[in-house]
Amino acid sequence: MRAVVLHEFGPAENLTYETWPDPVAGPGQVRIAVRAAGVHYVETVMRRGAASDMAPPLPELPAVFGGEVAGVVDALGPGVDPAWLGRAVVTPRSEPGGYAELAVADLGRLHEVPDGLGYEAAVTMVMTGATAMGLLDIARLTPDDVVLVTSAAGGVGRLVVQYAGAVGAVVIGAAGGPDKVEAVWELGADLAVDYNEPGWADVVRERLDGRRVSVVLDGVGGEKSAAAFGLLGDGGRHVVIGWSSQEGFEPDAEAVAERRISVTNALVQLIEHPENGPDQQRRALEAAAKGELVPTVQTFPLADAALAHADMERRRTTGKVVLVP
């Protein structure tokens, strides 16, 4: 098969498209002819060889990155029901990795792709969508909330904006650049702002006309997170749902206490409770199949995985990045 392989940690161009041994399904496994493979920003961090508390351990090299794939079962391991052959499936975890034409997955990690849902949407929802579901479970949004979503044009951010709007909350989406801001407007946000522009937080204050943000769903980190935190009213909730800038942000402890603000790292909570993953994956796939959540996907040919990584690092992508063999 053809796969994208990393032989040495470093820049995006270290990802090479080459021939790799076909994986073989073992007991309780199926082999999937991949139609779509998801890419995560954290994989660009791992590719550089940077260790992080928010990332899986670095793999031994050479390695095929990725994990979530959608496709068609084309081979069965020993003991697997023949009825699985030919089914459209999606999984959050595959071997040797998702950046490949073929992948192997355990039966216990499979979901059938719901009727009417494409492979690219399915691979988006099985992990990115499930992550959004888990984060929103933690955030507990209500119709009374004024919600500020940072990194609102990202894969998770777009789903969060849609969900918050469906709940009935006032939704403010912050993203970088005119095209991404326009995309946030199209998602139905009540206000969309460019957080690369100076004074964006003042624009939010002015438009709220005396109301305060009650929930920040923070997907970016750094100075933009600090500005978002400053928009929170007393008793508000600051919920970390990502770190696309790779810059840390630690709210001032005195301000947190005085203003009775709760600070929650929802990503850490999700990592600490993997047992909730299968249910979140199922709910995310069902929501997309019903049209309740509509994922935005930007595709790249599998052979262009290096370009996909480079564009993600330069913040040139919108929505979920998916590789297509």
Side-chain angles (χ1 to χ4, degrees):
M1 70 173 180
R2 300 290 282 176
V4 176
V5 184
L6 184 73
H7 292 273
E8 182 180 358
F9 294 118
E13 53 264 32
N14 284 14
L15 292 170
T16 58
Y17 184 61
E18 59 189 67
T19 300
W20 191 257
D22 290 358
V24 177
Q29 293 184 321
V30 301
R31 192 176 72 180
I32 302 167
V34 178
R35 299 289 186 267
V39 181
H40 284 274
Y41 188 84
V42 70
E43 291 161 6
T44 71
V45 179
M46 296 169 64
R47 186 212 69 234
R48 294 195 298 269
S52 169
D53 293 338
M54 301 301 293
L58 296 178
E60 293 185 9
L61 301 183
V64 178
F65 273 42
E68 68 221 42
V69 299
V72 177
V73 175
D74 80 335
L76 309 175
V80 175
D81 187 340
W84 280 101
L85 197 63
R87 288 189 186 180
V89 297
V90 61
T91 179
R93 183 75 59 83
S94 66
E95 303 170 1
Y99 298 9
E101 293 177 328
L102 297 171
V104 165
D106 295 339
L107 280 176
R109 294 185 179 274
L110 287 184
H111 297 273
E112 287 198 68
V113 176
D115 290 342
L117 194 64
Y119 293 115
E120 294 162 8
V123 84
T124 297
M125 298 306 290
V126 78
M127 185 66 88
T128 298
T131 298
M133 284 292 184
L135 298 172
L136 290 162
D137 288 345
I138 294 167
R140 298 179 182 273
L141 302 182
T142 75
D144 296 326
D145 279 319
V146 177
V147 182
L148 170 60
V149 184
T150 65
S151 199
V156 170
R158 285 171 172 256
L159 297 173
V160 167
V161 168
Q162 294 176 57
Y163 182 97
V167 166
V170 174
V171 185
I172 305 160
D179 291 344
K180 292 187 177 182
V181 170
E182 180 61 29
V184 175
W185 279 118
E186 292 174 358
L187 292 170
D190 297 283
L191 174 63
V193 293
D194 186 345
Y195 57 22
N196 288 339
E197 294 291 332
W200 70 269
D202 293 331
V203 173
V204 174
R205 287 191 186 91
E206 182 179 348
R207 290 291 298 273
L208 288 177
D209 193 25
R211 294 191 70 179
R212 297 299 298 270
V213 172
S214 61
V215 184
V216 169
L217 298 176
D218 179 21
V220 62
E223 292 182 359
K224 296 179 176 68
S225 292
F229 180 81
L231 290 166
L232 271 173
D234 291 349
R237 293 116 69 196
H238 186 97
V239 183
V240 177
I241 65 170
W243 53 295
S244 61
S245 71
Q246 297 186 70
E247 298 173 2
F249 169 65
E250 190 70 31
D252 178 74
E254 186 175 337
V256 167
E258 287 181 355
R259 297 169 53 198
R260 307 182 312 282
I261 292 173
S262 67
V263 179
T264 305
N265 192 321
L267 286 177
V268 170
Q269 289 195 21
L270 292 186
I271 292 169
E272 291 176 345
H273 295 281
E275 69 276 8
N276 296 327
D279 178 64
Q280 291 159 355
Q281 293 156 16
R282 176 188 57 76
R283 288 163 52 209
L285 289 165
E286 289 177 354
K290 294 175 182 177
E292 296 170 353
L293 294 177
V294 180
T296 301
V297 180
Q298 182 171 348
T299 62
F300 291 79
L302 177 63
D304 289 342
L307 175 60
H309 270 228
D311 280 359
M312 288 184 80
E313 289 174 302
R314 295 169 185 150
R315 310 294 292 276
R316 292 178 178 173
T317 58
T318 300
K320 175 69 174 180
V321 174
V322 173
L323 302 176
V324 179

